[in-house]
Amino acid sequence: GSVAELGAAMIKAFHQEGIIACPKHFPGHGGTRTDSHSQLPVIDCDELCLQERIEPFRQAIKVGVKMIMVGHIQLNFQSVINDQNNKNPPASLSPIIITNLLRKQLGFKGVIITDDLNMGAVRAYEPDIGEAAVEAILAGVDMVMVTGESAIQEQVYQRLLKAVGDGEISETRINESLKRILKLKG
């Protein structure tokens, strides 16, 4: 409806002025009563509900949006949980949401960034922020956002370096993201 239309129009206007638009929070934060800064919002949603939620993002992709932020929202429906071996991470750490839905089903080729990993919603699911960053990259995001003290950012950086060094995250996976980020900056 109107959110998708207005969002698409805004993205076009941003692009005309040389501004990178970044719609958020995929796959849709609407209707949640929980603040993801403190707790993990859970949405009971079936396939039809999910398709309605992602419509604004589908329209954004149609008009050529180059970046999307994935939110810390847990989708609570059986096919998502079953596909992740009974683990149900927030969307920002979910390969089902990021790689299968956003990349493959919607065909998004741009940069995917997480919302801030230093938020209560992520900490409730994965208390170790370095591990959360590794999960997010493995799920398919290109950039992880980490605010707060520089020690926290350093912790994430060191954990990601170790993951690449150990082969937990392949250099191929990192290079895919690097290409998308360089294309965006270019």
Side-chain angles (χ1 to χ4, degrees):
S2 60
V3 171
E5 290 168 32
L6 293 172
M10 197 165 142
I11 289 164
K12 283 192 222 173
F14 279 7
H15 287 174
Q16 286 168 358
E17 296 302 317
I19 299 167
I20 298 169
C22 184
K24 62 180 193 169
H25 302 85
F26 188 83
H29 219 304
T32 60
R33 291 203 169 106
T34 306
D35 181 357
S36 58
H37 289 90
S38 54
Q39 293 177 306
L40 180 60
V42 178
I43 297 169
D44 292 314
C45 194
D46 60 13
E47 190 61 37
L48 179 63
C49 158
L50 178 62
Q51 293 308 316
E52 288 173 5
R53 286 181 162 282
I54 64 173
E55 187 56 29
F57 298 97
R58 190 186 310 275
Q59 294 305 317
I61 292 165
K62 270 189 188 166
V63 298
V65 76
K66 295 170 176 58
M67 189 171 195
I68 291 177
M69 179 184 286
V70 183
H72 308 317
I73 307 151
Q74 187 180 64
L75 292 178
N76 207 14
F77 64 97
Q78 215 49 51
S79 63
V80 171
I81 297 167
N82 288 345
D83 284 353
Q84 298 185 102
N85 302 319
N86 293 319
K87 273 181 77 181
N88 193 7
S92 53
L93 309 181
S94 168
I96 300 303
I97 300 300
I98 296 163
T99 299
N100 292 10
L101 181 59
L102 186 52
R103 287 273 185 231
K104 291 179 183 163
Q105 192 176 322
L106 295 181
F108 181 60
K109 300 199 178 351
V111 172
I112 300 173
I113 187 169
T114 66
D115 201 347
D116 182 11
L117 293 181
N118 197 19
M119 286 166 60
V122 174
R123 298 290 192 139
Y125 174 79
E126 173 50 74
D128 184 327
I129 194 169
E131 292 306 316
V134 169
E135 269 194 62
I137 298 293
L138 289 173
V141 305
D142 300 301
M143 299 172 74
V144 293
M145 183 191 309
V146 181
T147 65
E149 300 168 20
S150 59
I152 295 168
Q153 295 164 357
E154 183 65 26
Q155 176 188 347
V156 169
Y157 174 69
Q158 291 301 328
R159 179 62 184 95
L160 288 172
L161 271 183
K162 182 181 183 318
V164 174
D166 293 348
E168 186 179 1
I169 298 174
S170 71
E171 283 192 47
T172 304
R173 173 67 201 85
I174 294 296
N175 287 335
E176 288 169 6
S177 290
L178 179 60
K179 285 177 194 163
R180 284 191 280 265
I181 293 164
L182 291 175
K183 184 178 178 189
L184 177 69
K185 287 183 173 190

